[in-house]
Amino acid sequence: MDTPDKTHIAATSSLSKFEDSPVFNYINSLSPIDPVKFVQTDHSFNSLSFTSPSSVFASPQIISHRESRLKSILSPDPLKPELPLYANGNKTSKTDSETIRVSDQCAEQLGVLTPRSSARGVTAELPNTIKCDFGSPASNWVSSDLIETSRVREGGGVPSSFAQSSKVNLRERQHFKNEVNLREICRIEQTEEAAGLDWVSLVSDVDVLDSFNIENNSEEEQDQETVDPGTITFVSTVLQLPQDNATDLENLVSISPSGSCKLSEIREPITQSGEIEDLQDKDQAHDILSSSLQKKLVVTESRAKVDEKGEKRGQSNSKHKIRRRCLVFETGSHKKCSSLIPSQTDCEVAHEENCLVPSKSSGHSLSMLPGVGLHLNAVAATSKNGRFVKCKTLASGRQIICMRSSMSSDSLASSQNTLIGSSALNSMEKVSDPCDNKIKVVENALQTSVSVGREEDDQNSPRKKRFKQELVGESQACKRCNCKRSKCLKLYCECFAAGLYCVEPCSCLDCFNKPKHEDTVLETRRLIESRNPLAFAPKVIRSADSATEFGDETNKTPASARHKRGCNCRRSSCLKKYCECFQGGVGCSASCRCEGCQNAFGRKDGFEETEYKVEESEAYENNDSSDTIKKDEDEHSDVLLIPPSIISRFSRGKRLGSSLLDVGPSPMLCTGLKPKTFDISDQPNFQIRLQVIPEDETPQNRKSNCSPTSPNSKRLSPPHHDIRSSSSTSSSSTSRKLILRSIRPLPSVTPLQEQQ
DNA sequence: GAGTTTGAAACT
DNA sequence: CAGTTTCAAACTC
């Protein structure tokens, strides 16, 4: 029955008929996507969607079957002889209406896939393109659209080819509904998750990819080892899932079945075609798929691993080795954290030396560090770089380090779960307040890593490139201090003040703040602390603390924070980062001796900072043009206060510690300032807002808190504070954040389940 | 990128 | 503790 010619003709005719049919027109009218010629669709699909050579589902049999199926159905490809494989099984397996619907989808997928499988010339190109497609949100979106479009067309065509014209309309409608739902899901996920969100599609895609892989014998072996693109996508999806782990996991699990369904669906058409089926193959395919899904479900997998996988897809073994090396570094030094960053490849190379430095330090720390200042070093270093280090570092800071490591491995690496991350961060902060900013950075880093992870796969996308460049630039430009005369042994040096060793990115001269001079560093620290025990303490203190320490009633406002010693600004009006209060995102307090204070976060004289909340972020963003501060106030009234430290870092990209921030957040922050339009598509922004804005710091809450509750309270909530406050005062805020994020997955899941 | 401004840190 | 100097970040051009 299935001579290539026949199939081809049938497909072609059906396709043309379908296009002319009212249903098709209706679909087109509904669909935002413009109809694409079949050939074009294939092409675009190939280029955009399936680039990944490696796949979990590398089973040759499956692949061959898939290929054959596809070929038999749609493609005129001479290879068709392979077609018959699945035919019988389909008939046997499903007969009900659901089956029909499924078959439609399958047919659609097949149609989409077929071109690929048929086009062998493209196969060689796959490896290159593969990595790109999954990661880039944009690319994914496009590809998904294309896929959908093609599906719509193909779906109609395939059934007709099977002489099911009577059911075509019904099917198409169902199919269209499905497509719409899927599309919505895809959009939701893609917009938020950017990475291969349409995992369902991806699953099917994976199959296609596998089929390609089969052609490439050399890669077959690798396939087993190599990470499945779909898996990666899935993992990324999981990672990106909201904080509500349990819920998300459930959703994922529920979803995964659909993926299985997809596989069966694909076979459906074949069954109808009456071709011979290989039940064993089918079973195997299911097994493989299920196994792959299970693999995907293994959330515990470290993020680094994920990244590694992602890179694997697109890169050679050597690359892989490099990654592994980086992973090893992760274990030991903060630098490794870079491996967590998506664009690692570049970063890794760039940072290798850097990594070594930290490692070194860690080594010293283990044996040598007394723990006085060093623990700060370790902690700060870890967080500052925005990379999660499993610090072997300091004996003294062991617990802290452990927490971090756990966070990195579990929370971040595995799921990038913001909630978890925040929790970890919170806990971490409790331990190490000194590194407020850095912790924030870490948090941002989490987000960044998430976003990065999404884009990781799509290396070709402009976005990805940009991001990569940013990362690289950061890594290269992650200069911290620029000390010329202090030898980085005074508090002038930001690195030293933060308890960090200077690293390569620093532009300091005659730097002694390095592991090799650890003794000197420690001694200097000791001297400084002897003069001022709080010299290395966090400059910004949580409200509770500050209130306690300074007896400042105004600081009792929830989520409020104050600079430890207060500023002494005279000319900056506390509106620039010269002011440490402003820089720390906190209002001035009675401790400040500033003149003409206009601190947006809270004036010394008790001026309500509420007015500035929005402006501040803007001011920071714009490098403080006070003129512009109120400019968009109305527009951004919803905006939360973003700690200047964070913003400044990202905006300037100067400080390495903020590297993560710089990379990811910067855009996010910028966008984040456009709050009123809550753009789901821009997940980074979303996350940031959620994380940055403490529960009680929402505009309404702020106002309420400020005026009635604490008349004197000048400040709302500094970003710093958010984290801390959440950790100590309100865990609820964190939980809420999670809830918000959890919203995303729900929509996607629901439609699928309903349809299925 | 160079120069200026600024305010914290260090010093007296 | 106050005043001055030093310093490096922040900022401007």
Side-chain angles (χ1 to χ4, degrees), chain A residues 652-668:
Chain A
R652 292 208 167 228
K654 248 189 176 182
R655 299 189 181 178
L656 179 55
S658 57
S659 62
L660 291 180
L661 285 177
D662 294 342
V663 175
S666 63
M668 295 186 249

Side-chain angles (χ1 to χ4, degrees), chain A residues 13-53:
Chain A
S13 63
S14 63
L15 186 66
S16 62
K17 287 180 179 179
F18 179 74
E19 290 178 354
D20 294 341
S21 67
V23 174
F24 181 79
N25 292 334
Y26 176 73
I27 292 169
N28 285 338
S29 63
L30 293 176
S31 174
I33 300 168
D34 294 340
V36 178
K37 288 295 180 184
F38 178 78
V39 174
Q40 291 176 346
T41 300
D42 293 345
H43 182 69
S44 59
F45 182 81
N46 287 336
S47 62
L48 293 175
S49 300
F50 302 116
T51 37
S52 163

Side-chain angles (χ1 to χ4, degrees), chain A residues 495-680:
Chain A
C495 299
F496 180 79
L500 297 171
Y501 286 119
C502 292
V503 293
E504 188 180 2
C506 294
S507 300
C508 47
L509 299 177
D510 298 332
C511 179
F512 280 78
N513 185 27
K514 292 188 176 179
K516 62 182 178 181
H517 297 114
E518 187 171 9
D519 293 341
T520 302
V521 172
L522 291 175
E523 179 63 14
T524 304
R525 286 181 64 92
R526 187 182 66 77
L527 291 173
I528 293 171
E529 285 180 331
S530 66
R531 288 191 309 232
N532 178 13
L534 298 178
F536 294 95
K539 291 181 178 179
V540 176
I541 300 172
R542 181 180 53 190
S543 63
D545 295 343
S546 64
T548 302
E549 284 187 21
F550 301 103
D552 183 358
E553 293 297 327
T554 62
N555 291 335
K556 290 181 179 178
T557 304
S560 65
R562 288 289 184 269
H563 191 274
K564 179 175 62 181
R565 280 169 315 183
C567 65
N568 192 29
C569 305
R570 286 166 292 185
R571 296 190 177 188
S572 66
S573 299
C574 300
L575 287 174
K576 296 189 177 183
K577 287 199 286 185
Y578 295 126
C579 175
E580 289 189 349
C581 296
F582 183 84
Q583 189 173 35
V586 300
C588 292
S589 65
S591 300
C592 297
R593 298 166 296 283
C594 50
E595 298 175 359
C597 178
Q598 294 182 354
N599 188 338
F601 292 96
R603 295 183 185 178
K604 180 176 79 175
D605 59 1
F607 188 89
E608 198 54 76
E609 74 234 59
T610 304
E611 296 176 357
Y612 297 89
K613 56 191 171 187
V614 173
E615 305 130 4
E616 263 194 296
S617 5
E618 283 256 340
Y620 288 116
E621 224 183 19
N622 296 332
N623 291 332
D624 314 332
S625 34
S626 53
D627 297 346
T628 59
I629 288 176
K630 284 194 174 182
K631 193 175 178 180
D632 297 337
E633 182 177 359
D634 294 342
E635 293 178 357
H636 303 300
S637 60
D638 294 345
V639 178
L640 56 133
L641 290 175
I642 298 172
S645 60
I646 294 173
I647 294 171
S648 64
R649 289 183 182 182
F650 105 66
S651 64
R652 292 208 167 228
K654 248 189 176 182
R655 299 189 181 178
L656 179 55
S658 57
S659 62
L660 291 180
L661 285 177
D662 294 342
V663 175
S666 63
M668 295 186 249
L669 290 175
C670 293
T671 52
L673 295 177
K674 310 169 182 177
K676 287 207 169 173
T677 53
F678 189 83
D679 186 0
I680 296 173

Side-chain angles (χ1 to χ4, degrees), chain A residues 322 325-326 329 333-341 343-359 385 387 470-480 503-506 656-657 659-660 663:
Chain A
I322 292 170
R325 182 178 54 186
C326 291
F329 282 125
S333 68
H334 67 277
K335 282 292 179 179
K336 295 128 195 174
C337 297
S338 64
S339 66
L340 294 176
I341 297 170
S343 54
Q344 306 166 343
T345 322
D346 297 342
C347 291
E348 288 174 359
V349 174
H351 284 299
E352 260 185 306
E353 289 182 2
N354 293 338
C355 294
L356 292 175
V357 173
S359 299
N385 289 339
R387 299 159 185 178
E470 285 182 354
L471 285 177
V472 172
E474 255 190 11
S475 63
Q476 293 174 346
C478 43
K479 301 173 181 178
R480 296 185 196 163
V503 293
E504 188 180 2
C506 294
L656 179 55
S659 62
L660 291 180
V663 175

Side-chain angles (χ1 to χ4, degrees), chain A residues 198-227:
Chain A
D198 185 4
W199 68 270
V200 174
S201 300
L202 290 176
V203 171
S204 62
D205 292 350
V206 170
D207 292 345
V208 175
L209 291 174
D210 289 348
S211 65
F212 280 99
N213 287 340
I214 196 171
E215 292 178 355
N216 203 346
N217 293 336
S218 63
E219 291 181 354
E220 287 182 357
E221 290 180 357
Q222 291 179 350
D223 289 346
Q224 292 176 351
E225 292 180 356
T226 322
V227 175

Side-chain angles (χ1 to χ4, degrees), chain A residues 218-328:
Chain A
S218 63
E219 291 181 354
E220 287 182 357
E221 290 180 357
Q222 291 179 350
D223 289 346
Q224 292 176 351
E225 292 180 356
T226 322
V227 175
D228 177 4
T231 301
I232 293 167
T233 302
F234 183 90
V235 172
S236 64
T237 301
V238 172
L239 294 176
Q240 294 171 353
L241 290 177
Q243 295 75 357
D244 189 350
N245 290 339
T247 303
D248 292 343
L249 289 174
E250 290 178 357
N251 293 338
L252 291 174
V253 172
S254 63
I255 292 169
S256 64
S258 69
S260 300
C261 290
K262 283 277 179 184
L263 181 61
S264 63
E265 289 176 359
I266 293 169
R267 292 178 181 177
E268 285 294 335
I270 295 169
T271 302
Q272 292 176 352
S273 67
E275 293 174 350
I276 298 167
E277 179 199 12
D278 183 354
L279 292 175
Q280 277 188 339
D281 290 343
K282 185 176 183 178
D283 292 344
Q284 289 178 350
H286 283 288
D287 293 342
I288 293 168
L289 180 59
S290 61
S291 65
S292 64
L293 290 174
Q294 290 177 348
K295 289 179 180 179
K296 293 173 182 177
L297 291 176
V298 178
V299 176
T300 57
E301 213 172 352
S302 67
R303 163 113 183 127
K305 192 173 182 178
V306 173
D307 292 346
E308 185 178 358
K309 291 176 180 179
E311 289 180 356
K312 266 187 178 180
R313 286 178 295 161
Q315 298 179 357
S316 63
N317 292 337
S318 63
K319 276 274 183 181
H320 181 68
K321 289 178 181 178
I322 292 170
R323 287 183 204 114
R324 284 190 174 180
R325 182 178 54 186
C326 291
L327 291 175
V328 172

